[in-house]
Amino acid sequence: MDGNKSASGHNNTFKYTLYGALFGCCFPIFSVGFELYGQQLGFSLANILLVQAEQPLHWVIDTAPFFLGFFARLAGKRQDQIARINSGLEKRLRQSNALRQIRGEVWKMKSAGDIEHVSEVLKRSLDDLEIPYAYCGINLVDFSFEKPMVQYSNAAKEGKWMQLGGFEEDHVVFQCWQSGVPAYRPDLEAEDPHEEREQLGTSYGVPIRSVLDIPFSHGTLAVNSVQQNAFSQEQIKLLEEVAQVLSEGFRRVEDLRALEKHNGDLEEMLQQKEVLLKELHHRVKNNMQVMMSLLRMQIRRTDEVAKLPLEDALSRLRAMTHALEWLHLGSDMGKLDLGQYLARLVEELQSLFPEGVELQIERVQLGVHIEQVVPIGLIVNELITNALQHAFPEGERGLVRVGLSQGGMGELVVEVVDDGVGLPVEKKDGDGGIGLTLINSLAAQLDGRLEVERLQRGTRMRVVCPSVLAAN
C-alpha cells in the first residue's frame, strides 16, 4: 500500500515535468509561427532560421521549455513530499486508533472472561496496523506446574480465536518471555534454529516461513506468515506497543480475578457470620425464656411481700428480650427505630397494669445506635414500672403517658408522666430503691440525666440523653 503511494508520487513528479516542458514548447512555436505569418513567409526550416537570426529574442523563448520543466519538477517534488507526509500521518493515525481500540476494550473489562472480547479486538487491530500475518496467537506462561508450561490460543486472519489443547512445555516461548526481547525467525527454510518449521506446518496446514514472538507480562504475542522476511522493523515496533497493551489487559484480569475471589470470600464470611449470629440469638433467647419461666414459677410459689422484686426482675428480663428480638429482626444493623421498639414494649407492659389504669405512648420515629437500645429500653421499663407501683394505690384509676421526642439540641428525651398521688414531699428527687438507682446508672451510661418534676397531680420523670440519635 505504501509502495503504491510512493510510485504514485514519482509519477506525479514526472507528470509535472512533462507538462511543464510541453507547455514551454508552445512559446517558441507560436512566436515563430506568428513571425512567419507577419512576413508572409512559408513554413520551412530556412525561413525559421532566418526569422530567428533577425530576432535574437527567439533564442531566449526557445529555452522556456527547459526553465518551465525545471520549475514544474520542483513543484512536483514538493507535491510528492506533501503526499508522503499526509500518507505518514494517516498511517500513524490508523495505528494510534488501533492501539486505542485495544486499550479501550481493556479498560471496559468488568470480569476476567472479558479478555476473550479483547482478543477479538486485537485481531481486528492487527489488520488495521497492516501486519501481514497468516496466524496470530497468545501464548500464556503458567508457573503452577513443576516446570513452566505454555497454553496456546490462536486465530487465522479470517478465523476465530481457538484454544489449542492443554498446557505444553515450550522453551522457545519461555526463553523469549524471560528475556523480554522479541524473537524473530525471518525465514525458517533458510534457518530453523529451534526446529519448529515442520511442527508449525503440521499445526497450521500451510508452510510457515516467518515467525515472530513479542514478549508481554504473561507470555508472548505470536504472529507468523507464509512469506519470508514478512515483518519489518517498523512492524515489530508496532507489535511491541500492542504487547504493552496486552500486558495492561492481563494485569487487569489478575486484578479482577483477585477482586472476584475477595468478594466471594467476603460473601462466604458474611454467610457464616449470619449463621453464627442466628444461632447465638436463638441460644440467648432460649436462655432468657428459661430464666423468665423460672421467675414465673418462683412468683407463683412466693407470698405477696416477696413477689414485687421478682416481678421487677421479670419485667427487666422482658424488656431485654424485646430489645434483643428487635436487634435481630432489624434491617439496618447500624440503627433501630426506637419508637417502634418502645411501642412494642409498652404493649407488653399494658397487660401488667391493673384495671382502671390506662397506658398511652406518644412517639415519633427516631433512630438510635444498636448499642443504646437495651439501656433505653430498661430505662423506660423502670419508669413505667415505678409509676405502676407507686402512683396508684389499690383500686385507684388513672393514666400513665409515655412520651418520646427529640429536643431542640438534638438530644433524646424520654418521659413518663402519671396523674397519680405523686411523690411524697419528704422524698428527695432521685431517691428511691433499686429501680431509681438503676435508672440513674443507665442514664449515666448514656451520658444522660434523670429529671423528676412534681406536678399539681402526679409526677413527670424525664431522662435526657444527648448524642445518642443516629443520623437518618
Side-chain angles (χ1 to χ4, degrees), residues 161-386:
W161 283 93
M162 295 182 299
Q163 187 169 313
L164 304 181
F167 292 88
E168 298 180 13
E169 190 173 0
D170 191 323
H171 296 291
V172 178
V173 171
F174 179 70
Q175 289 174 4
C176 174
W177 173 80
Q178 195 173 37
S179 68
V181 178
Y184 184 26
R185 286 84 78 197
D187 188 357
L188 293 182
E189 286 190 5
E191 184 178 7
D192 188 7
H194 305 295
E195 299 180 354
E196 53 188 335
R197 177 188 172 200
E198 183 177 347
Q199 178 186 356
L200 292 174
T202 303
S203 299
Y204 296 115
V206 292
I208 300 299
R209 295 287 297 273
S210 301
V211 181
L212 174 63
D213 280 286
I214 306 290
F216 68 97
S217 61
H218 289 66
T220 66
L221 168 64
V223 290
N224 59 46
S225 173
V226 296
Q227 303 294 328
Q228 63 182 10
N229 300 310
F231 309 111
S232 67
Q233 288 300 316
E234 180 185 0
Q235 290 167 340
I236 293 175
K237 291 292 184 184
L238 283 174
L239 289 172
E240 287 183 295
E241 293 186 47
V242 174
Q244 291 179 1
V245 179
L246 270 184
S247 296
E248 296 175 13
F250 278 88
R251 289 191 182 104
R252 185 166 175 81
V253 167
E254 280 190 345
D255 293 341
L256 289 171
R257 284 175 177 165
L259 180 61
E260 289 169 2
K261 183 180 183 303
H262 180 65
N263 290 341
D265 292 342
L266 289 179
E267 185 69 25
E268 184 178 354
M269 290 173 59
L270 180 61
Q271 291 175 357
Q272 291 175 354
K273 288 185 177 181
E274 287 179 353
V275 172
L276 290 175
L277 184 61
K278 289 179 180 178
E279 180 65 21
L280 177 62
H281 171 75
H282 180 68
R283 290 180 181 273
V284 170
K285 182 178 178 181
N286 284 348
N287 290 337
M288 298 284 277
Q289 294 292 343
V290 169
M291 288 188 288
M292 291 170 66
S293 297
L294 291 174
L295 281 175
R296 290 191 187 98
M297 291 173 59
Q298 188 66 36
I299 290 171
R300 286 196 295 267
R301 298 181 181 182
T302 304
D303 57 37
E304 293 298 326
V305 177
K307 277 184 179 180
L308 187 58
L310 293 177
E311 289 176 345
D312 288 344
L314 179 61
S315 177
R316 290 162 188 153
L317 277 176
R318 187 183 294 110
M320 294 177 65
T321 301
H322 286 313
L324 293 174
E325 185 71 24
W326 277 100
L327 288 176
H328 176 67
L329 297 177
S331 58
D332 188 347
M333 292 303 293
K335 62 182 180 180
L336 186 75
D337 181 5
L338 184 62
Q340 191 177 18
Y341 160 62
L342 293 183
R344 175 73 179 275
L345 178 62
V346 169
E347 182 181 346
E348 287 287 331
L349 292 173
Q350 178 74 61
S351 62
L352 303 178
F353 272 50
E355 186 177 354
V357 178
E358 184 182 357
L359 180 60
Q360 296 179 350
I361 180 170
E362 300 173 0
R363 68 179 180 90
V364 293
Q365 184 177 2
L366 294 175
V368 294
H369 299 290
I370 57 176
E371 65 270 15
Q372 296 159 342
V373 173
V374 172
I376 293 174
L378 287 173
I379 287 173
V380 173
N381 180 79
E382 292 301 322
L383 290 175
I384 295 175
T385 303
N386 183 73

